[in-house]
Each structure stands twice: as C-alpha cells, then as structure tokens.
Amino acid sequence: MVIKNGLINNAVDREAFVADIKIENGKIKEIGKELSAALGEEVIDASGKYIYPGFVEAHCHIAISGRAGQGKNASDVNEHTDPLTPHMRAIDAVDPYDRNLEKARAAGVTTVCTGPGSSNAIGGTFIAMKTVGRCVDDMAIKTDVAMKCAFGENVRNRYASKNVSTRMAIAALIRDILTKAKRYKNAIDAADGDESKFPSFDAKLHALLPVMRGEIPLKAHAHQANDIFTAIRIAKEFGVKMTIEHVTEGHLIADELKEAGLPLAIGPTLCNGAKYELKNKTWETPVALSKAGCHVCIVTDSPVISQDNLPICAAYAIKAGMDPFEALKAITIYAAEHIGVEDRVGSIEVGKDADIIITDGSPFEISTIVEKVLIDGKVVS
C-alpha cells in the first residue's frame, strides 16, 4: 500500500509535512515524495487530509472490564479474594469481542495497555495490545508490560475488614512481598541453574521476578501527593523500576516529580471527582508536569472515560495551556515509551508498525472525522 500526499504529523517532528508513506508487510517501509506503487498495490489518496500515528492508551481496563452493556458483574478487573495477586495476568481475561475495542479503533486508538484495577495492593500484569483481532495472543505487542500496584483508598476500602485499613498497612503489604520476592530471586540466582537447589515454587514470588530483575516496572496507582511519594520511596528501597499512574495531585509536586524522573500517566480527568483523593483533580496537572519537563502521557483509564475520548482528553489539556505538540506526543510516542513498546508504535517512522490514522482535521477538534484507521498496514475502520 502507498498513502499519497497526506499532511504527516509523525509525533517526532514538530512541523507537519506533506509526503507519501509506503507500507509493506504491515510495516512502514519508506516515507518520501512521489513514492510509486507496485503493480497491484493499493493506493490511498490522502490529498488535503491529515495523517497521524495511531493513538496509544498507556493505562486502562478495556476488554477485561466486561463487554459493553453487561455491567459490573461481567468485570474481570479485580480479583477480590486477596490483596496480593501478582500472579494474575491480564492476557488471561482479555475479551477481543468487547465492542469498546471497536469504538476505540474507530476513534484512532490502535494500541492499549490494559490490566488489573486498583483494589489490590499488588494486582498482576498489564498487557499492551492492538485494538483489533479475534485472539489476544495475536493482538499482543507485549504480554507482560508492568506489574500493577496500588496506593490509597481503593485498597483500604476493599480490604478494611481484612486488616488493611490504613495507608501504612498497604505500604507494609507491598514491602513484605517485595522483600520475599528479593530473597526468592537471590536463592534462585545462588543456585546457578541447579534446579535441585531452587527454593520451593511460589506462584506469587515467581511472578514478581521480572520486577526484581528490572525487566518490567511496577505500575503504581497513586492519586494523592503522599501516596505518590510512598510509591517512589518503595521503588528506591528495592531498586525497582516504576511508572506512576493517575498522578492527580502531580501539579502540587511538579518539581519533585521532575527530580524523580519517572514516567507519569495523567488521568482520568474528564470525569467527576467521585472520591476524596480526587478533590484536587484538574486539567492543570498535565500542563504543569509537562512544563516542568516530566515525561507525561494522558490516559482515559477506560472504561472510567470511554476509550474513544482519548484525543479529546488531550484537547482539554491543550485548552488548559499544554503545548499542542506535547499533547500529541502524550497520546502517541510518550504513551508508547511509558509502556515500553516505542520500538513498534507511537510515531510514524520507517520500520515501525503501520498503525496510521487519516483525518479531515486536527484530532483535537471535536468535529474532526477519523476517515481511515490502519493497524499493521490493514484498513480496520
């Protein structure tokens, strides 16, 4: 396929430019002027149209929170039998036939990172996947992106009757299992491949090995400033990688978050402040953190905000004062970097997956129509 004469906003260069895109075997093969199509190749005339990389959602629960219209009883987001469930994997719950995925890709959202909710102190692993397909194994970009952990009132409210009623208790639970996981890892390392010397298998501790080895980060749910600092403190104590999700009070501690240097996922903001720890929720958060030089992406936390509203969330950030180019990157390349899949998605560059959207205007205008969506070089919407 060759896409001709579109105005390319590649999420790399600040200024858009008119060029052609040649696609081969689902990848972007070439970007340039007057590229020719081989005999039999499809040609899309994008003259007068805008071209963007497929949007990337860095934190949501789409396709595991129940099919559209089924209600909470169909949700597989939280395993409520135990506050510590690192051995849970989102890939085992994803429903490709959730119609919310269809809505997402029609709006240009081509990659989502979905996984467990925030009821548990440790919830399990997230998956990064495309928004089209019949089998999650084929949709997956990366099956285990990060290990969810959570701070604040959700854990406390869920397990108050099971001896977890304070923020101190949540932090203590996380420290306890990370300490055990560190010892479990050390014992395996000391065995030097001799399985007879391995410690007794423990599914929870085994699931935490990629975290302890620095292969994946902890994905920390934290709204309040004190919870954000607790998450950072624990990451430093154990020498593990971490991303912070939601960051509702991030604008109050922008300098400290810049110094910490952790990737930040801001949102959901296009919704009511339904609980106490959201009382300082504002569109100023992504603006302040972006201006401070933090690594910022914008998220919907779908289905808290419908996934198709991801570009509208970025538009509200622009309205509040965020640089439009930074807002575009916040739902494309920065989001891809946040979940560790920037080598494949998030920008229009040679060698990357041909996840491309064609519009009749800026995606930050509510009246803009997404005319075509390509995932892996195939038109899917």
Side-chain angles (χ1 to χ4, degrees):
M1 179 186 295
V2 178
I3 303 172
K4 301 282 291 182
N5 302 318
L7 183 64
I8 299 174
N9 298 263
N10 61 9
V12 177
D13 300 300
R14 179 172 286 273
E15 298 300 324
F17 56 94
V18 175
D20 305 336
I21 302 172
K22 189 174 182 63
I23 297 167
E24 191 171 287
N25 297 322
K27 300 286 186 179
I28 298 171
K29 182 179 181 181
E30 189 177 357
I31 302 169
K33 297 282 190 177
E34 299 181 1
L35 301 183
S36 59
L39 184 65
E41 278 190 324
E42 181 179 357
V43 175
I44 295 176
D45 183 4
S47 300
K49 307 299 181 181
Y50 296 71
I51 297 177
Y52 295 89
F55 301 135
V56 180
E57 167 72 57
H59 182 97
C60 69
H61 312 286
I62 194 171
I64 66 170
S65 54
R67 293 187 184 183
Q70 283 188 308
K72 291 184 177 180
N73 291 336
S75 176
D76 287 310
V77 170
N78 290 294
E79 175 57 52
H80 285 149
T81 58
D82 187 341
L84 295 170
T85 57
H87 51 317
M88 303 291 115
R89 300 178 73 209
I91 191 173
D92 296 321
V94 168
D95 178 6
Y97 293 91
D98 179 1
R99 291 195 65 188
N100 288 310
L101 290 171
E102 182 182 339
K103 288 177 61 180
R105 65 177 178 265
V109 181
T110 56
T111 294
V112 294
C113 185
T114 188
S118 52
S119 287
N120 294 352
I122 303 282
T125 54
F126 272 59
I127 179 175
M129 67 183 202
K130 302 295 179 76
T131 53
V132 67
R134 295 187 296 180
C135 174
V136 65
D137 302 85
D138 300 326
M139 299 161 71
I141 302 174
K142 191 174 182 181
T143 56
D144 295 285
V145 167
M147 177 66 68
K148 179 69 177 287
C149 65
F151 299 84
E153 63 184 271
N154 287 4
V155 184
R156 189 175 63 177
N157 292 345
R158 169 55 59 177
Y159 292 101
S161 62
K162 298 182 180 180
N163 301 319
V164 187
S165 61
T166 65
R167 283 177 161 80
M168 294 181 290
I170 295 167
L173 272 178
I174 293 172
R175 282 193 177 94
D176 180 70
I177 196 166
L178 290 181
T179 298
K180 291 174 180 175
K182 183 177 181 179
R183 292 176 178 175
Y184 186 82
K185 170 189 171 295
N186 290 343
I188 290 175
D189 291 346
D192 196 26
D194 184 348
E195 293 188 14
S196 67
K197 297 179 180 178
F198 281 9
S200 298
F201 179 76
D202 185 303
K204 292 183 179 183
L205 302 183
H206 203 81
L208 283 165
L209 285 177
V211 174
M212 307 315 295
R213 290 171 176 159
E215 296 167 2
I216 63 173
L218 287 172
K219 192 174 180 67
H221 165 111
H223 287 283
Q224 288 188 182
N226 57 334
D227 291 325
I228 295 169
F229 285 136
T230 297
I232 294 171
R233 185 180 312 117
I234 288 176
K236 288 180 177 179
E237 288 174 16
F238 289 91
V240 296
K241 296 177 181 178
M242 178 174 281
T243 64
I244 309 291
E245 319 299 305
H246 309 309
V247 206
T248 300
E249 294 188 349
H251 58 288
L252 304 178
I253 53 171
D255 291 341
E256 289 85 351
L257 288 175
K258 166 61 176 173
E259 183 178 354
L262 301 179
L264 309 173
I266 315 302
T269 315
L270 189 65
C271 58
N272 292 328
K275 52 187 178 180
Y276 180 80
E277 63 188 17
L278 302 182
K279 66 188 178 98
N280 288 316
K281 183 160 65 70
T282 171
W283 289 109
E284 296 296 328
T285 306
V287 179
L289 293 173
S290 178
K291 288 182 177 179
C294 298
H295 188 284
V296 172
C297 65
I298 292 171
V299 301
T300 64
D301 203 21
S302 167
V304 178
I305 299 169
S306 183
Q307 189 66 73
D308 51 307
N309 282 311
L310 179 60
I312 299 304
C313 291
Y316 270 99
I318 293 169
K319 183 179 179 181
M322 192 172 186
D323 176 76
F325 184 56
E326 290 297 302
L328 174 63
K329 292 166 81 172
I331 59 171
T332 54
I333 191 60
Y334 289 162
E337 290 169 350
H338 189 95
I339 58 177
V341 294
E342 70 276 12
D343 59 323
R344 287 188 56 183
V345 300
S347 60
I348 297 177
E349 297 180 84
V350 172
K352 287 197 172 184
D353 294 0
D355 294 357
I356 294 168
I357 63 175
I358 302 174
T359 74
D360 67 352
S362 167
F364 305 133
E365 296 290 339
I366 197 167
S367 59
T368 290
I369 295 172
V370 177
E371 297 189 351
K372 280 187 171 61
V373 178
L374 285 72
I375 295 180
D376 295 325
K378 297 179 180 178
V379 177
V380 297
S381 181

